[in-house]
């Protein structure tokens, strides 16, 4: 058992650090771009007169940083080599995501909109694993060259945690002599719709509410007749690019889907499992940032003539957070390493509980760390002149999105008690002869 990181990964972290200091930081400081990261950040990023959407200047700056990162060979690090990437592993991505988030707010890595110089694009691997040859021929060039920007349409106004009860329906429908589908329904939190070219719409095509099968993943042009942004929902952290989108009698050609008819839920699982482990690593990194900044401040701040850090009331909460961060790091890296040892589609069946453990605990930990950092820093910690309030407001969403922590705990319980996962057969065959009940009340 070797807990040392691969030397090539350590070297790559150094390469990223050098790139950030040489290329990204100068851009961050240029033309008052720092306004997007200092105390003015929420105001500077948000176009309040355009429904709370991100300002064009803000998104243009992020685009410049991504272009520079792509030219340097960093942006597509996690993409498969055959799709133009470096084949970065889940373990490497977990380490990188923590490393970048632990640096704090900056143009190198802004988690509010999943911006990073090392991109997180779960659509790529999902497409590779599930697309048929014909679908690859049709969509690969658009997807790989950035000409296809897709929302993830799973959650609905009345159905979030249980996607199998979705009300969006797709039925076969011929139009002008051409076979196709007619889609009706609504989707919530359709992130990125204001710049999307397509909508990835999950819709029931057969079966009954609650069935895992019978759901298909359709690819709908964002400007198709019948597609409408009903409203952009303002959130705890602004700006917002999270609308409610309706689909009214939307017709698409028969072959406008990814994967296999009635088996679309697997694509959704692929998406969220990639996001959950990377999100956990980012939350860990942000938590570490909050802890370390609090430790430094407590050593330097001297009320009543002595360092704040002399007080056990300051020490102990940070000790507990640091301990949890250390344990979480080991679980994240072990889980990411295990993901790399198995086929991508096997993760849901064999390791989903560990991914959920990492995610829900990481998201909870960063909220606690940000809250503690505010407390340690006092009034200045509560102000927007420190980033802790922004970190809290952003990461608080992850205790709900990508599967709320209650849903993820339910997944852990299902694996633990053998309702699903590797222990299912073990518990199915369990008898009273296998249980020592003599000393039980």
């Amino acid at each position: 058992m070797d807990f040392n990181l691969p030397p090539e990964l350590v070297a790559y972290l150094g390469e990223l650090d050098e790139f950030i200091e040489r290329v990204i930081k100068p851009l961050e400081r240029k033309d008052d771009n720092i306004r997007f990261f200092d105390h003015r950040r929420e105001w500077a990023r948000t176009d309040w007169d355009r429904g709370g959407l991100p300002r064009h200047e803000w998104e243009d700056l992020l685009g410049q940083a991504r272009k520079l990162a792509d030219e340097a060979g960093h942006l597509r690090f996690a993409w498969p080599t055959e799709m133009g990437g470096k084949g970065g592993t889940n373990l490497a991505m977990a380490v990188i995501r923590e490393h970048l988030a632990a640096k704090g707010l900056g143009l190198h890595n802004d988690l509010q909109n999943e911006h990073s110089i090392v991109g997180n694009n779960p659509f790529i691997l999902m497409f590779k694993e599930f697309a048929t040859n014909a679908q690859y021929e049709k969509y690969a060039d658009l997807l790989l060259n950035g000409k296809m920007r897709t929302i993830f349409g799973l959650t609905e106004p009345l159905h979030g945690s249980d996607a199998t009860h979705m009300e969006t329906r797709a039925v076969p429908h011929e139009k002008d002599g051409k076979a196709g589908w007619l889609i009706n329904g609504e989707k919530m939190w359709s992130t990125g719709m204001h710049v999307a070219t397509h909508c990835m719409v999950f819709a029931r095509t057969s079966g009954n509410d609650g069935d895992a099968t019978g759901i298909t993943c359709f690819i709908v042009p964002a400007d198709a007749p019948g597609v409408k942004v009903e409203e952009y929902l303002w959130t705890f952290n602004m700006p917002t690019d999270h609308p409610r989108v309706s689909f009214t009698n939307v017709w698409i050609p028969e072959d406008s889907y990814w994967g296999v008819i009635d088996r679309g839920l697997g694509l959704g699982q692929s998406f969220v499992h990639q996001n959950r482990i990377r999100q956990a690593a980012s939350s860990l990194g942000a938590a570490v940032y909050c802890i370390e900044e609090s430790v430094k401040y407590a050593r330097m701040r001297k009320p009543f003539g002595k360092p704040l850090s002399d007080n056990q009331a300051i020490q102990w909460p940070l000790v507990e957070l640091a301990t949890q961060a250390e344990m979480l790091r080991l679980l994240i890296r072990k889980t990411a390493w295990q993901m790399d040892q198995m086929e991508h589609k096997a993760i849901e069946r064999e390791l989903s509980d560990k991914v959920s453990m990492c995610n829900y605990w990481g998201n909870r930990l960063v909220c606690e760390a940000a809250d503690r950092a505010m407390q340690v820093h006092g009034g200045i910690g509560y102000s927007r002149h420190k980033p802790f309030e922004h970190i809290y407001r952003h990461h608080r969403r992850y205790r709900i999105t990508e599967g709320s922590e209650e849903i993820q705990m339910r997944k852990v319980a299902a694996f633990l008690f053998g309702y699903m996962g590797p222990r299912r057969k073990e518990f199915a065959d369990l008898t009273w002869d296998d249980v020592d009940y003599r000393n039980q009340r």
Side-chain angles (χ1 to χ4, degrees), residues 140-171:
D141 181 66
L142 291 172
L143 189 63
L144 299 182
N145 289 297
K147 299 175 182 177
M148 185 178 193
R149 302 183 69 171
T150 308
I151 68 161
F152 187 74
L154 186 64
T155 300
E156 299 184 350
L158 299 180
H159 304 282
S161 296
D162 184 3
T164 63
H165 280 76
M166 68 177 60
E167 295 181 18
T168 301
R169 295 289 190 268
V171 296

Side-chain angles (χ1 to χ4, degrees), residues 185-209:
E186 282 193 336
K187 296 296 178 180
M188 285 282 285
W189 312 114
S190 306
T191 303
M193 185 65 185
H194 68 301
V195 293
T197 61
H198 292 77
C199 307
M200 180 181 288
V201 180
F202 291 84
R204 182 161 292 284
T205 45
S206 69
N208 302 308
D209 287 346

Side-chain angles (χ1 to χ4, degrees), residues 20-37:
I20 291 168
E21 292 302 318
R22 178 175 53 85
V23 178
I24 300 300
K25 285 298 180 183
L27 178 59
E28 180 181 291
R29 292 188 286 263
K30 183 181 178 182
D31 299 329
D32 197 32
N33 287 333
I34 199 66
R35 70 188 186 278
F36 296 114
F37 304 99

Side-chain angles (χ1 to χ4, degrees), residues 289-319 372-378 380 386 388:
Y289 173 81
C290 293
I291 295 166
E292 290 298 324
E293 288 297 304
S294 298
V295 168
K296 288 187 288 187
Y297 183 83
R299 289 298 305 268
M300 299 301 296
R301 180 77 165 175
K302 294 181 179 179
F304 307 107
K306 66 176 183 177
L308 195 62
S309 59
D310 283 3
N311 300 303
Q312 289 179 331
I314 296 295
Q315 293 176 5
W316 288 2
L318 293 174
V319 165
R372 178 52 53 182
M374 288 186 233
Q375 194 70 18
V376 171
H377 282 77
I380 195 66
K386 290 292 182 180
F388 310 123

Side-chain angles (χ1 to χ4, degrees), residues 18 53 69 87 97 150 198 210 289 305 308 315 323 356 410 441:
E18 188 276 335
L53 284 168
R97 298 275 285 184
T150 308
H198 292 77
Y289 173 81
L308 195 62
Q315 293 176 5
T323 301
S356 287
R410 190 174 75 167
R441 287 186 289 176

Side-chain angles (χ1 to χ4, degrees), residues 59-79:
E59 294 195 310
D60 287 346
L61 178 62
L62 298 179
Q64 292 178 53
R66 286 194 297 270
K67 185 175 185 293
L68 292 169
D70 204 13
E71 291 171 349
H74 299 312
L75 188 69
R76 309 184 192 209
F77 172 83
W79 292 24

Side-chain angles (χ1 to χ4, degrees), residues 50-277:
R50 199 163 59 98
L53 284 168
R55 290 188 190 273
H56 294 305
E57 299 89 343
W58 166 231
E59 294 195 310
D60 287 346
L61 178 62
L62 298 179
Q64 292 178 53
R66 286 194 297 270
K67 185 175 185 293
L68 292 169
D70 204 13
E71 291 171 349
H74 299 312
L75 188 69
R76 309 184 192 209
F77 172 83
W79 292 24
T81 53
E82 64 269 31
M83 300 177 82
K86 294 184 177 181
T89 63
N90 286 295
L91 174 60
M93 279 297 286
V95 173
I96 291 168
R97 298 275 285 184
E98 178 192 345
H99 181 76
L100 295 179
K103 291 178 177 291
L105 300 185
L107 185 55
H108 65 286
N109 192 73
D110 194 281
L111 298 175
Q112 185 181 15
N113 48 18
E114 285 301 322
H115 163 81
S116 179
I117 59 170
V118 180
N120 174 36
N121 191 337
F123 290 105
I124 299 298
L125 184 56
M126 180 188 71
F127 182 74
K128 173 182 178 291
E129 292 291 333
F130 288 91
T132 64
N133 290 336
Q135 291 162 0
Y136 194 90
E137 288 294 322
K138 182 177 180 180
Y139 294 106
D141 181 66
L142 291 172
L143 189 63
L144 299 182
N145 289 297
K147 299 175 182 177
M148 185 178 193
R149 302 183 69 171
T150 308
I151 68 161
F152 187 74
L154 186 64
T155 300
E156 299 184 350
L158 299 180
H159 304 282
S161 296
D162 184 3
T164 63
H165 280 76
M166 68 177 60
E167 295 181 18
T168 301
R169 295 289 190 268
V171 296
H173 185 83
E174 189 176 285
K175 181 179 180 181
D176 298 330
K178 295 181 180 179
W181 299 89
L182 202 64
I183 299 177
N184 282 279
E186 282 193 336
K187 296 296 178 180
M188 285 282 285
W189 312 114
S190 306
T191 303
M193 185 65 185
H194 68 301
V195 293
T197 61
H198 292 77
C199 307
M200 180 181 288
V201 180
F202 291 84
R204 182 161 292 284
T205 45
S206 69
N208 302 308
D209 287 346
D211 292 345
T213 57
I215 294 171
T216 303
C217 177
F218 291 98
I219 303 300
V220 180
D223 59 357
V227 178
K228 181 183 178 183
V229 173
E230 297 289 348
E231 61 177 330
Y232 280 93
L233 295 121
W234 287 30
T235 56
F236 198 18
N237 225 8
M238 293 290 282
T240 178
D241 59 350
H242 315 292
R244 175 170 60 91
V245 181
S246 63
F247 300 85
T248 305
N249 294 325
V250 176
W251 186 88
I252 53 174
E254 191 278 333
D255 60 350
S256 301
Y257 59 89
W258 280 356
V260 179
I261 294 294
D262 290 341
R263 297 285 179 176
L265 210 54
L267 282 81
Q269 293 294 344
S270 168
F271 184 97
V272 299
H273 280 88
Q274 291 181 75
N275 258 2
R276 282 174 182 172
I277 192 68

